[in-house]
Amino acid sequence: MSSLPTRKYIFTEDFVQEEKVPESPYIIGVCGGSGSGKTSVCREIIKQLTNKRVSLLSQDWFYKKLKEKDLENVSEYDWDHPDALDLDLLVETLQKIKKGAAVTCPKYDFCNNQPSTTEYATVEGDVILFEGIHIFHTEELRDLIDIKVFVDVDNDIRLGRRILRDTKERGRNVESIINQYFKFVKPGYDNFVAPTRKYADIILLRGSSNKIAINLLINIPGEMEISNQNKQVFCYIGNKTLESVIFALQMIKINENNNNNNNKSSLINLNYMKIKELFCQRSHI
Ligand SMILES: Nc1ncnc2c1ncn2[C@@H]1O[C@H](COP(=O)(O)OP(=O)(O)O)[C@@H](O)[C@H]1O
Ligand SMILES: Nc1ccn([C@@H]2O[C@H](COP(=O)(O)O)[C@@H](O)[C@H]2O)c(=O)n1
Protein backbone atom coordinates (compact mmCIF):
# COMPACT_ATOMS: atom_id res chain seq x y z
CA MET A 1 0.00 0.00 0.00
CA SER A 2 1.40 3.42 -0.87
CA SER A 3 1.87 6.03 1.81
CA LEU A 4 -0.63 8.71 2.70
CA PRO A 5 -0.23 11.96 0.78
CA THR A 6 2.13 14.38 2.52
CA ARG A 7 0.53 17.48 3.93
CA LYS A 8 1.57 21.07 4.32
CA TYR A 9 -0.01 23.49 6.76
CA ILE A 10 -0.71 27.17 6.37
CA PHE A 11 -0.57 29.05 9.63
CA THR A 12 -3.22 31.72 9.78
CA GLU A 13 -4.10 34.02 12.59
CA ASP A 14 -5.85 31.67 14.89
CA PHE A 15 -6.24 28.38 13.18
CA VAL A 16 -4.40 25.98 11.00
CA GLN A 17 -5.33 25.28 7.43
CA GLU A 18 -4.13 22.46 5.34
CA GLU A 19 -2.65 23.27 1.98
CA LYS A 20 -2.76 20.64 -0.70
CA VAL A 21 0.55 19.83 -2.23
CA PRO A 22 -0.09 18.59 -5.78
CA GLU A 23 0.79 15.00 -5.15
CA SER A 24 -0.32 11.53 -5.89
CA PRO A 25 -4.01 11.30 -5.04
CA TYR A 26 -5.20 8.75 -2.55
CA ILE A 27 -7.10 5.98 -4.34
CA ILE A 28 -9.99 4.28 -2.57
CA GLY A 29 -10.96 1.18 -4.57
CA VAL A 30 -14.57 0.03 -4.14
CA CYS A 31 -15.20 -3.43 -5.59
CA GLY A 32 -18.20 -5.77 -5.33
CA GLY A 33 -20.88 -7.39 -7.45
CA SER A 34 -23.16 -5.48 -9.75
CA GLY A 35 -25.91 -3.83 -7.68
CA SER A 36 -24.00 -4.17 -4.41
CA GLY A 37 -24.02 -0.38 -4.07
CA LYS A 38 -20.44 0.46 -5.12
CA THR A 39 -21.47 3.68 -6.86
CA SER A 40 -23.78 4.64 -4.00
CA VAL A 41 -20.98 4.08 -1.45
CA CYS A 42 -18.63 6.25 -3.54
CA ARG A 43 -21.25 9.00 -3.82
CA GLU A 44 -21.81 8.94 -0.07
CA ILE A 45 -18.07 9.25 0.62
CA ILE A 46 -17.73 12.04 -1.95
CA LYS A 47 -20.66 13.87 -0.32
CA GLN A 48 -18.98 13.70 3.05
CA LEU A 49 -15.40 14.52 2.03
CA THR A 50 -16.29 18.19 1.65
CA ASN A 51 -12.86 19.51 2.56
CA LYS A 52 -11.11 17.66 -0.26
CA ARG A 53 -11.01 17.58 -4.00
CA VAL A 54 -12.61 14.25 -4.79
CA SER A 55 -13.44 12.52 -8.07
CA LEU A 56 -15.12 9.32 -9.12
CA LEU A 57 -13.48 6.94 -11.58
CA SER A 58 -15.68 4.11 -12.83
CA GLN A 59 -14.42 0.92 -14.35
CA ASP A 60 -17.59 0.97 -16.50
CA TRP A 61 -16.04 3.76 -18.61
CA PHE A 62 -13.50 1.22 -19.88
CA TYR A 63 -15.81 -1.25 -21.58
CA LYS A 64 -14.48 -2.02 -25.04
CA LYS A 65 -16.31 -0.54 -28.00
CA LEU A 66 -18.54 -3.26 -29.44
CA LYS A 67 -18.05 -4.54 -32.95
CA GLU A 68 -21.01 -4.31 -35.31
CA LYS A 69 -21.72 -8.05 -35.11
CA ASP A 70 -21.78 -7.99 -31.29
CA LEU A 71 -24.06 -4.95 -31.29
CA GLU A 72 -26.54 -6.90 -33.39
CA ASN A 73 -26.70 -9.62 -30.76
CA VAL A 74 -26.11 -7.90 -27.43
CA SER A 75 -28.09 -10.44 -25.42
CA GLU A 76 -25.30 -12.93 -26.14
CA TYR A 77 -22.49 -10.61 -25.11
CA ASP A 78 -20.72 -11.34 -21.84
CA TRP A 79 -20.19 -7.99 -20.10
CA ASP A 80 -19.20 -9.74 -16.92
CA HIS A 81 -15.99 -11.27 -18.19
CA PRO A 82 -12.89 -9.13 -17.49
CA ASP A 83 -12.07 -9.34 -21.23
CA ALA A 84 -15.04 -7.07 -21.93
CA LEU A 85 -12.93 -4.28 -20.42
CA ASP A 86 -9.87 -2.50 -21.76
CA LEU A 87 -7.87 -3.18 -18.60
CA ASP A 88 -4.62 -1.92 -20.18
CA LEU A 89 -6.19 1.47 -20.81
CA LEU A 90 -7.61 1.43 -17.30
CA VAL A 91 -4.16 0.80 -15.78
CA GLU A 92 -2.59 3.48 -17.99
CA THR A 93 -5.29 5.97 -16.98
CA LEU A 94 -4.93 5.20 -13.29
CA GLN A 95 -1.16 5.58 -13.54
CA LYS A 96 -1.62 9.06 -15.03
CA ILE A 97 -4.09 10.01 -12.29
CA LYS A 98 -1.65 8.72 -9.67
CA LYS A 99 0.98 11.05 -11.10
CA GLY A 100 -1.38 13.96 -10.41
CA ALA A 101 -2.72 14.42 -13.97
CA ALA A 102 -6.31 15.44 -14.66
CA VAL A 103 -7.76 12.85 -17.01
CA THR A 104 -11.00 13.22 -18.95
CA CYS A 105 -12.86 10.02 -19.82
CA PRO A 106 -16.04 9.43 -21.79
CA LYS A 107 -18.71 7.96 -19.49
CA TYR A 108 -20.50 4.76 -20.48
CA ASP A 109 -23.86 4.72 -22.22
CA PHE A 110 -25.61 1.57 -20.97
CA CYS A 111 -28.66 2.24 -23.13
CA ASN A 112 -26.59 2.01 -26.31
CA ASN A 113 -23.91 -0.36 -24.96
CA GLN A 114 -21.15 1.99 -26.06
CA PRO A 115 -18.89 4.67 -24.59
CA SER A 116 -20.86 7.90 -24.36
CA THR A 117 -20.34 10.46 -27.09
CA THR A 118 -21.88 13.28 -25.05
CA GLU A 119 -20.97 12.77 -21.38
CA TYR A 120 -17.46 13.06 -20.00
CA ALA A 121 -15.92 13.07 -16.54
CA THR A 122 -12.68 14.69 -15.48
CA VAL A 123 -10.86 12.76 -12.82
CA GLU A 124 -8.37 14.54 -10.57
CA GLY A 125 -7.99 15.54 -6.96
CA ASP A 126 -6.73 14.54 -3.55
CA VAL A 127 -8.91 11.48 -3.30
CA ILE A 128 -10.19 9.28 -6.12
CA LEU A 129 -13.10 6.91 -5.54
CA PHE A 130 -12.49 4.11 -8.00
CA GLU A 131 -15.30 1.58 -8.40
CA GLY A 132 -16.01 -1.51 -10.46
CA ILE A 133 -16.62 -5.24 -10.43
CA HIS A 134 -13.13 -6.15 -11.69
CA ILE A 135 -10.93 -3.50 -10.10
CA PHE A 136 -9.07 -6.09 -7.98
CA HIS A 137 -8.71 -8.49 -10.92
CA THR A 138 -5.04 -7.90 -11.73
CA GLU A 139 -2.07 -7.27 -9.48
CA GLU A 140 -1.20 -4.22 -11.56
CA LEU A 141 -4.57 -2.66 -10.75
CA ARG A 142 -4.50 -3.69 -7.10
CA ASP A 143 -1.08 -2.10 -6.66
CA LEU A 144 -2.42 1.26 -7.81
CA ILE A 145 -5.13 1.28 -5.14
CA ASP A 146 -4.30 2.60 -1.68
CA ILE A 147 -7.18 1.05 0.19
CA LYS A 148 -9.32 -1.77 -1.11
CA VAL A 149 -12.96 -2.02 -0.03
CA PHE A 150 -15.25 -4.89 -1.01
CA VAL A 151 -18.99 -4.23 -0.78
CA ASP A 152 -20.56 -7.52 0.22
CA VAL A 153 -24.28 -7.83 -0.39
CA ASP A 154 -26.40 -10.97 -1.00
CA ASN A 155 -27.06 -12.11 -4.57
CA ASP A 156 -30.84 -11.73 -4.29
CA ILE A 157 -30.62 -8.17 -3.04
CA ARG A 158 -28.17 -7.30 -5.82
CA LEU A 159 -30.46 -8.82 -8.45
CA GLY A 160 -33.49 -6.96 -7.05
CA ARG A 161 -31.62 -3.66 -7.10
CA ARG A 162 -30.32 -4.33 -10.58
CA ILE A 163 -33.85 -4.92 -11.86
CA LEU A 164 -35.04 -1.61 -10.39
CA ARG A 165 -32.01 0.35 -11.56
CA ASP A 166 -31.62 -1.10 -15.05
CA THR A 167 -35.29 -0.73 -15.96
CA LYS A 168 -35.19 2.91 -14.84
CA GLU A 169 -31.71 3.99 -15.88
CA ARG A 170 -30.17 1.55 -18.34
CA GLY A 171 -33.00 1.02 -20.84
CA ARG A 172 -33.54 -2.68 -20.03
CA ASN A 173 -36.63 -4.79 -19.46
CA VAL A 174 -37.12 -7.25 -16.59
CA GLU A 175 -36.90 -10.34 -18.81
CA SER A 176 -33.58 -9.31 -20.37
CA ILE A 177 -32.15 -8.42 -16.95
CA ILE A 178 -33.06 -11.80 -15.47
CA ASN A 179 -31.78 -13.73 -18.51
CA GLN A 180 -28.51 -11.80 -18.49
CA TYR A 181 -28.18 -12.27 -14.75
CA PHE A 182 -28.31 -16.08 -14.84
CA LYS A 183 -26.34 -16.42 -18.07
CA PHE A 184 -23.50 -13.98 -17.41
CA VAL A 185 -23.77 -11.83 -14.30
CA LYS A 186 -23.95 -14.55 -11.65
CA PRO A 187 -21.30 -16.82 -13.24
CA GLY A 188 -19.09 -13.75 -13.75
CA TYR A 189 -19.50 -12.84 -10.10
CA ASP A 190 -18.76 -16.38 -8.89
CA ASN A 191 -15.74 -16.87 -11.18
CA PHE A 192 -14.10 -13.45 -11.20
CA VAL A 193 -15.52 -11.02 -8.66
CA ALA A 194 -16.07 -13.07 -5.47
CA PRO A 195 -12.51 -14.55 -5.64
CA THR A 196 -11.05 -11.01 -5.40
CA ARG A 197 -12.83 -10.36 -2.08
CA LYS A 198 -9.74 -11.77 -0.37
CA TYR A 199 -7.67 -8.79 -1.52
CA ALA A 200 -9.89 -6.30 0.33
CA ASP A 201 -8.60 -4.36 3.29
CA ILE A 202 -12.17 -3.71 4.36
CA ILE A 203 -15.33 -5.73 3.78
CA LEU A 204 -18.26 -3.34 3.73
CA LEU A 205 -21.51 -5.06 4.62
CA ARG A 206 -24.84 -3.48 3.57
CA GLY A 207 -23.15 -0.95 1.27
CA SER A 208 -24.17 2.68 1.54
CA SER A 209 -26.60 2.01 4.42
CA ASN A 210 -23.64 1.14 6.63
CA LYS A 211 -23.14 4.63 8.04
CA ILE A 212 -20.64 3.56 10.69
CA ALA A 213 -18.32 1.97 8.13
CA ILE A 214 -18.71 4.95 5.76
CA ASN A 215 -17.78 7.32 8.58
CA LEU A 216 -14.67 5.28 9.27
CA LEU A 217 -13.78 5.30 5.58
CA ILE A 218 -13.95 9.05 5.22
CA ASN A 219 -11.29 9.40 7.88
CA ILE A 220 -8.83 7.15 6.10
CA PRO A 221 -7.47 9.50 3.39
CA GLY A 222 -5.81 11.72 5.98
CA GLU A 223 -4.69 10.97 9.46
CA MET A 224 -5.70 14.40 10.43
CA GLU A 225 -7.71 17.11 8.80
CA ILE A 226 -8.09 20.56 10.12
CA SER A 227 -10.59 22.98 8.76
CA ASN A 228 -11.41 26.50 9.74
CA GLN A 229 -15.15 26.10 9.55
CA ASN A 230 -16.84 28.25 12.23
CA LYS A 231 -13.39 29.30 13.37
CA GLN A 232 -12.97 26.10 15.32
CA VAL A 233 -10.20 23.63 14.92
CA PHE A 234 -11.64 20.34 13.78
CA CYS A 235 -9.48 17.28 14.01
CA TYR A 236 -10.52 14.20 12.15
CA ILE A 237 -8.04 11.80 13.49
CA GLY A 238 -7.01 8.30 12.50
CA ASN A 239 -5.40 6.19 15.16
CA LYS A 240 -3.01 8.72 16.63
CA THR A 241 -5.57 10.77 18.49
CA LEU A 242 -3.60 12.56 21.15
CA GLU A 243 -0.38 12.90 19.16
CA SER A 244 -2.29 14.38 16.26
CA VAL A 245 -4.11 16.82 18.51
CA ILE A 246 -0.84 17.88 20.08
CA PHE A 247 0.71 18.34 16.67
CA ALA A 248 -2.27 20.32 15.41
CA LEU A 249 -2.31 22.62 18.38
CA GLN A 250 1.43 23.15 18.35
CA MET A 251 0.99 24.40 14.82
CA ILE A 252 -1.39 27.14 15.83
CA LYS A 253 0.15 30.39 14.93
CA ILE A 254 0.21 33.11 17.52
CA ASN A 255 0.38 36.42 15.85
CA GLU A 256 2.68 38.47 18.00
CA ASN A 257 1.69 41.74 16.57
CA ASN A 258 -1.90 41.79 15.41
CA ASN A 259 -2.17 45.51 15.30
CA ASN A 260 0.75 46.60 13.18
CA ASN A 261 -0.02 43.96 10.57
CA ASN A 262 3.60 43.19 9.81
CA ASN A 263 2.95 39.48 9.77
CA LYS A 264 5.56 38.75 12.38
CA SER A 265 4.67 35.55 14.02
CA SER A 266 6.01 32.64 15.91
CA LEU A 267 5.04 29.13 16.73
CA ILE A 268 4.89 28.57 20.39
CA ASN A 269 5.59 25.38 22.20
CA LEU A 270 2.53 24.63 24.18
CA ASN A 271 2.76 22.35 27.10
CA TYR A 272 0.53 19.34 27.33
CA MET A 273 -2.04 20.85 29.70
CA LYS A 274 -2.36 23.96 27.61
CA ILE A 275 -2.83 21.88 24.49
CA LYS A 276 -5.54 19.85 26.12
CA GLU A 277 -7.27 22.97 27.36
CA LEU A 278 -7.12 24.60 23.93
CA PHE A 279 -8.33 21.49 22.20
CA CYS A 280 -11.30 21.18 24.53
CA GLN A 281 -12.25 24.82 24.05
CA ARG A 282 -11.91 24.76 20.31
CA SER A 283 -13.67 21.53 19.58
CA HIS A 284 -16.30 22.02 22.28
CA ILE A 285 -15.70 18.75 24.07
N1 LIG B 1 -28.17 0.55 0.66
C1 LIG B 1 -29.06 0.58 -0.33
N2 LIG B 1 -30.36 0.37 -0.09
C2 LIG B 1 -31.28 0.38 -1.10
N3 LIG B 1 -30.97 0.61 -2.38
C3 LIG B 1 -29.68 0.83 -2.67
C4 LIG B 1 -28.66 0.80 -1.67
N4 LIG B 1 -27.47 1.03 -2.26
C5 LIG B 1 -27.72 1.18 -3.56
N5 LIG B 1 -29.03 1.06 -3.83
C6 LIG B 1 -29.69 1.14 -5.13
O1 LIG B 1 -29.37 -0.05 -5.83
C7 LIG B 1 -29.05 0.22 -7.17
C8 LIG B 1 -27.63 -0.27 -7.45
O2 LIG B 1 -26.74 0.54 -6.70
P1 LIG B 1 -25.37 1.02 -7.32
O3 LIG B 1 -24.75 1.94 -6.34
O4 LIG B 1 -25.58 1.51 -8.72
O5 LIG B 1 -24.59 -0.38 -7.35
P2 LIG B 1 -23.29 -0.82 -8.13
O6 LIG B 1 -22.53 0.42 -8.49
O7 LIG B 1 -22.57 -1.71 -7.18
O8 LIG B 1 -23.77 -1.57 -9.34
C9 LIG B 1 -29.23 1.71 -7.38
O9 LIG B 1 -30.51 1.95 -7.94
C10 LIG B 1 -29.16 2.28 -5.98
O10 LIG B 1 -29.93 3.44 -5.84
N1 LIG C 1 -23.33 -2.65 -21.98
C1 LIG C 1 -23.29 -3.15 -20.74
C2 LIG C 1 -22.15 -3.11 -19.96
C3 LIG C 1 -22.19 -3.63 -18.70
N2 LIG C 1 -23.33 -4.20 -18.23
C4 LIG C 1 -23.40 -4.72 -16.85
O1 LIG C 1 -22.89 -3.77 -15.94
C5 LIG C 1 -22.46 -4.43 -14.77
C6 LIG C 1 -21.34 -3.66 -14.10
O2 LIG C 1 -21.77 -2.39 -13.74
P1 LIG C 1 -22.32 -2.07 -12.27
O3 LIG C 1 -22.43 -0.58 -12.28
O4 LIG C 1 -23.65 -2.73 -12.13
O5 LIG C 1 -21.31 -2.59 -11.31
C7 LIG C 1 -21.99 -5.80 -15.20
O6 LIG C 1 -22.49 -6.77 -14.32
C8 LIG C 1 -22.58 -5.97 -16.63
O7 LIG C 1 -23.43 -7.06 -16.67
C9 LIG C 1 -24.44 -4.24 -19.00
O8 LIG C 1 -25.49 -4.77 -18.57
N3 LIG C 1 -24.41 -3.71 -20.25
Side-chain angles (χ1 to χ4, degrees), residues 34 38 60 79-80 108 113 162 165 170 172 180:
S34 171
K38 301 179 296 297
D60 294 341
W79 305 101
D80 288 270
Y108 193 73
N113 301 302
R162 191 166 154 134
R165 180 195 61 191
R170 295 189 178 180
R172 311 293 165 94
Q180 184 190 7

Side-chain angles (χ1 to χ4, degrees), residues 167-180:
T167 47
K168 268 195 233 139
E169 296 169 19
R170 295 189 178 180
R172 311 293 165 94
N173 62 54
V174 175
E175 194 183 353
S176 79
I177 295 167
I178 292 173
N179 287 340
Q180 184 190 7

Side-chain angles (χ1 to χ4, degrees), residues 33-40 131 161 165 206 208-209:
S34 171
S36 59
K38 301 179 296 297
T39 313
S40 307
E131 67 84 24
R161 285 182 186 167
R165 180 195 61 191
R206 302 187 303 283
S208 59
S209 332

Side-chain angles (χ1 to χ4, degrees), residues 232-245:
Q232 295 169 7
V233 171
F234 286 94
C235 297
Y236 301 100
I237 298 155
N239 50 7
K240 291 187 190 160
T241 311
L242 193 56
E243 280 167 46
S244 302
V245 173

